[in-house]
Structure formats: structure tokens, C-alpha cells
Amino acid sequence: MTGRFITFEGIDGAGKSTHIEPAAARLRGVGRSVTVTREPGGTELAESLRKAILHTPMDGITETLLVFAARRDHIGRIIAPALARGEVVLCDRFTDATFAYQGFGRGQDLALLDRLEAAVQQGLQPDLTLWFDLDPEVAAQRRAAARAADRFEAEDLAFFERVRAGYVARMNAAAHRFVRVDASLDRREVERRVVEALNAHVGG
Ligand code: TYD
């Protein structure tokens, strides 16, 4: 069996995290071994970097380097070994988030992100990216009901408009691996579409 690398993306409040565990359960139900993980995070080092990235004030280049440092550790210790064992890896965010948040959101140089992506990933790319797309205004309302904001969630509407534009740009550049899921639909319909995409890309 070949490993499959599947990422879940979208602006904060789009609801992507809700759909990862049900997707994992479904894949396990049809006999696949599944690793569920997240970025920034997934290893001891990357989780400690996550705390800093989400809560410690820092400039945009520092933030970008820490995100990629966390990713490098995560790929080496968790993602690549799981794929080599033939598992399905479900990852809550990956490099599309860096282009969307650091690149489009914070205005970091996209050419620098391209170079870091190439150096850190050595060609590794998701096989499938489920992009949960939601109007930033609706996402902000959902977030307001949910929890205390971190450094990203506290950003204004214009920031999330830029982040969304970043996801659109990434999808246009790699349409073969992207599936856009309309996250404004009710939860069961979103879940149905996630299952449909998984069936098409991973098989039953
Ligand atoms: P998120 O995945 O939304 O987790 P939670 O549901 O626990 O809030 O939070 C991670 C945050 O990190 C999110 O606001 C986006 C940000 N982020 C980046 O800015 N760049 C990245 O490369 C990644 C992976 C995440």
C-alpha cells in the first residue's frame, strides 16, 4: 500500500479541525492505518515552537523561520516515516497555511517561502488538500463564539481576506491536489463532501 499525505486547510473558524477525526475513523474502518497530526506541531520540539508562534510577539521573518523549523522536525520524525510505512497521514494545516498566513497575511516575500519550502520539504507535497473555504466575516462570527484568540485569530477581517486570497492562489498553482469544500454548508453536508474527496483520492 502506498502512503497518502492529506492536508486540511482554511482560515480560522472554517471548521476544518472538526472533520479530521471522523475522516480518520472512516479510513481506519476500511482498513487503513492512519496518523493524525497538526502544524505547527506534531513533535515535542514542534509543539514547543507552536506555543511561541501562537503566543509570543515576533517579527514576520522569525515567525516564518519557526514555522518551517517546526515543519522540518515534523516531517523527519512523523510524516515521512508514516508515509514510508504506507499509512494515510491526515495533517491539520501544512505549507499552504504558510503561504496564506505568512505570505499573503503578513506580506512575507513569496520567493523566500518558495526557497524554504524546497529546502525543508525536498519535494514532499500533499497528495490531497481539503480546503475549507468560508467567508472571513462568517468565520469571525464562529470564532467569537468559540475561545480566546491567539496571535492569528486576533487579526482583523482584512488579514483574513488576504489569507483567503492566499489559499485561492495556492489552489490555482496546484489545482490537481486541491479540493475546495464550501464550509458554509451544514456540517453533515461538509462531511459528505469530505468523504467523497477521500474516496476519490485514497480509495474505499
Ligand atoms: P489552528 O490550526 O487553527 O489550530 P486551532 O484550531 O488549535 O486554533 O491554529 C494554528 C494557527 O497557526 C492558525 O491561526 C494559522 C497559523 N499558522 C500559520 O500562520 N502558518 C503556518 O504555516 C501554520 C501551519 C499555521
Side-chain angles (χ1 to χ4, degrees), residues 8-13 16-17 38-41 50 53-54 63 67-68 71 92-102 106 147 150-153 159-160 167:
F8 289 64
E9 295 281 0
I11 61 173
D12 296 273
K16 65 185 165 44
S17 308
R38 68 171 180 182
E39 290 215 341
R50 177 188 178 93
I53 292 163
L54 296 192
E63 185 179 285
V67 162
F68 273 112
R71 179 161 302 136
D92 191 342
R93 297 190 183 283
F94 196 62
T95 306
D96 296 316
T98 313
F99 279 81
Y101 281 79
Q102 280 66 50
R106 300 259 198 251
R147 61 192 165 203
D150 62 35
R151 288 176 59 244
F152 299 98
E153 292 162 344
F159 177 85
F160 284 103
Y167 279 121

